[in-house]
Amino acid sequence: MTTPIYVVSGFLGSGKTTFLSKILSSYQKEVLIIQFEDGEEELDTNLTNTGGLHLMCWTKEELEKDYEHVISEITKEIEAHEYHEIWVEWNGMEAFSKLERIFLQLRMLPYSYIEKVIYLADVQQAEILLGQTGEGPMSQVASSDIVFVRNEKNIKDINKFKQKLKSISSSLDIRLLPQESIEKEAIKRKFNPNIIWAEIILLAGVLFFFMLPFLEQRGIPVNAVLTMFMGVFLQGVPFLLLGVLLSAAIQIFVPKEWIEKVFPKSPVLGMAAGLAAGFFLPVCDCASIPVFKSLLKKGVALPAAVCFMTASPIVNPVVLISTYYAFNNDIRAVFYRTGLGLICSFLIGLSFLIKKPADFLKEGTETFSYCTCGCYEESETGKGIWGKSQLFLRHAQLEFYDVGKYLLIGIFISSLFQTANLAGLKNLGNSSMPIALFAMILLSFLLSLCSSSDAVVARSLSGTFSFVPMLGFLVFGPMMDIKNVMMLKGYFKGKFVLRLAVTALLVCYAAVLIFGLLGGGMVI
């Protein structure tokens, strides 16, 4: 039997021991209580005299002096007894990674797992101390599932404190104390993402079964939409998974010093490095966005990261080869697409160098060192290959589920457009070059194709559009489409996403149009 572990953390005086006493007062089962702090209040001795509750205690000094001995004693205790639950009162000043090293070690995995991390915060105290007392408290907040806030009646101060907590971890569930359901909320099991996805799929299947006849009677091409959705989904998800794994690998395994060497401090050289990196990573647009976010968190300058994100779906080896074969082995198509893609990416990055947005990540600019998985970049989390591997898998899983929902929404919307009657848009191919180019750029945004296969679709439209509008389709589409916008909104603030999309549109349209006018509307 694997035993769930509930962790309670917070500053000294935040009420951790009182909270534990209240939670455990009604327990009638075997529970192990592990305290790592000698607080202002002692745990109610009546609890441990009932026979069902067992107590282990270490002070902060003992934890620091003989850490390996503490790990050994806890491991032996959990291996020797079958507990229904384990409650840990963690020291408010210690890095959360130390606790993870105890309970996430390979030897402990068959016996226990961390079910929930609860953080208790006195608003007046935490507002002053958080950020001023080192990484320990910050890493605890970043790793928490739920925060109980108390000792503040001013709504403005509470909201301000909530924003501060959200800037550390945007996924925090923040509750006010006191409340009648505190015990119930504290021990409520976390939602399993796999179960949630299974329920969504089951519900969608049931709705589809009952709604299909009704929709078909009204001429809605449900089967066509679903077929298109599944096609794009199966095409995009593997690349998203690849991007998430690369993002997690960069965040966990790649030292910040190495990133700094690859991306020089010089803005222009850094942008050049971002463009060059796209050649060596076989990722499409779905994968480039998680990597883009991870590079920013590693300290890469925004212009350089933007250059990478916009260039990599166009210039990576898979796309170059697919473009070459789609255009009947004509190397000119590859050359023009790659050249214009690099120019546009550089200009887009340059715009963010000239005027950098003050705040664009949803977590807040002051929290670049935190990940969506709750790890703290400068902490001891994941020391050793096993610890890093655990953190890598945790990071990748949470990020995949976090951004996956935006990908699904984007795919569904693009599927509706792909099955819609776009004859009017396609007929614009007979219009002047500026209009035809804009029509193809718009089409690339709506269709949201994977950059590894969009060349085939573009080539199929050669009977309607000339090569220059097709080039706009091939350059702008991988940089920005519906699913990309939805995924970007999962990481970044709306104003930044809007600016990035509009900048990409204007730069790509202008660059391809100038190229077409200078080239006289060439034919390939």
Side-chain angles (χ1 to χ4, degrees), residues 71-111:
I71 293 177
S72 176
E73 290 299 308
I74 293 175
T75 304
K76 290 178 182 177
E77 178 68 23
I78 294 177
E79 287 177 339
H81 300 87
E82 286 192 3
Y83 292 105
H84 288 88
E85 290 179 6
I86 299 172
W87 283 81
V88 178
E89 181 181 347
W90 187 241
N91 188 286
M93 298 301 294
E94 292 291 337
F96 193 78
S97 57
K98 284 190 175 182
L99 182 141
E100 289 181 314
R101 285 180 61 195
I102 297 173
F103 296 105
L104 295 183
Q105 58 174 305
L106 182 60
R107 184 178 169 185
M108 290 282 284
L109 292 182
Y111 302 100

Side-chain angles (χ1 to χ4, degrees), residues 24-36:
L24 301 175
S25 60
S26 59
Y27 269 39
Q28 300 294 325
K29 47 190 174 184
E30 293 287 323
V31 176
L32 175 63
I33 306 167
I34 306 175
Q35 288 185 298
F36 290 97

Side-chain angles (χ1 to χ4, degrees), residues 449-487:
L449 300 173
C450 179
S451 61
S452 60
S453 59
D454 61 353
V456 177
V457 176
R459 182 62 177 174
S460 69
L461 298 174
S462 59
T464 305
F465 291 90
S466 64
F467 177 68
V468 172
M470 283 193 290
L471 199 54
F473 182 96
L474 295 173
V475 172
F476 178 76
M479 294 184 184
M480 200 62 55
D481 56 32
I482 293 175
K483 67 178 187 299
N484 289 358
V485 168
M486 296 305 301
M487 290 173 67

Side-chain angles (χ1 to χ4, degrees), residues 327-388:
F327 283 87
N328 300 322
N329 303 338
D330 194 327
I331 194 64
R332 291 179 299 168
V334 178
F335 178 76
Y336 294 143
R337 182 183 192 182
T338 304
L340 277 173
L342 290 173
I343 292 172
C344 291
S345 295
F346 183 82
L347 292 175
I348 295 169
L350 186 62
S351 72
F352 285 94
L353 175 63
I354 296 172
K355 187 177 181 181
K356 180 182 177 180
D359 187 15
F360 50 92
L361 270 178
K362 277 191 173 180
E363 295 93 332
T365 55
E366 72 277 12
T367 57
F368 271 23
S369 53
Y370 291 95
C371 304
T372 54
C373 69
C375 65
Y376 186 69
E377 185 178 272
E378 303 300 332
S379 72
E380 299 177 8
T381 302
K383 278 191 173 180
I385 188 63
W386 174 251
K388 286 184 178 292

Side-chain angles (χ1 to χ4, degrees), residues 416-435:
L416 294 177
F417 281 107
Q418 290 189 58
T419 53
N421 185 4
L422 298 176
L425 183 62
K426 294 177 182 178
N427 288 336
L428 292 174
N430 299 321
S431 304
S432 61
M433 184 187 297
I435 296 177

